[in-house]
Amino acid sequence: ELRAEATGAGFQVRDLVAVEGAFWLAKGFDARWSDPERRERLLRLARKVEHEPALLGVSLHLLVVAERG
């Protein structure tokens, strides 16, 4: 829906990414995020799946990158 909304407003969508991904659902997330090494591992994994269409709906927030077409 976000892609269609941006397109309908006259924008050309360049990218759509999940901000949190599914990782906020992980048990013990706060402890993992507090540890710099584990945080980097989470971020690496998030980058690998941030464009996966099947997982976009799991993220609490989406980011659309668009420009006027």
Side-chain angles (χ1 to χ4, degrees), residues 2 15-19 61-65:
L2 184 56
D15 206 357
L16 180 64
V17 295
V19 176
H61 299 95
L62 298 176
L63 175 70
V64 65
V65 179

Side-chain angles (χ1 to χ4, degrees), residues 3-69:
R3 186 181 298 273
E5 185 177 334
T7 302
F11 289 92
Q12 189 172 22
V13 176
R14 297 292 182 202
D15 206 357
L16 180 64
V17 295
V19 176
E20 294 91 354
F23 299 103
W24 66 275
L25 293 168
K27 186 175 182 177
F29 176 82
D30 290 336
R32 292 177 185 174
W33 190 255
S34 297
D35 179 310
E37 187 175 309
R38 295 171 85 187
R39 178 186 314 132
E40 185 54 40
R41 194 175 319 145
L42 283 172
L43 289 171
R44 239 186 352 264
L45 289 169
R47 288 181 195 107
K48 288 184 177 190
V49 299
E50 68 186 0
H51 292 97
E52 177 57 47
L55 296 176
L56 287 177
V58 180
S59 186
L60 294 174
H61 299 95
L62 298 176
L63 175 70
V64 65
V65 179
E67 62 185 7
R68 284 261 180 221

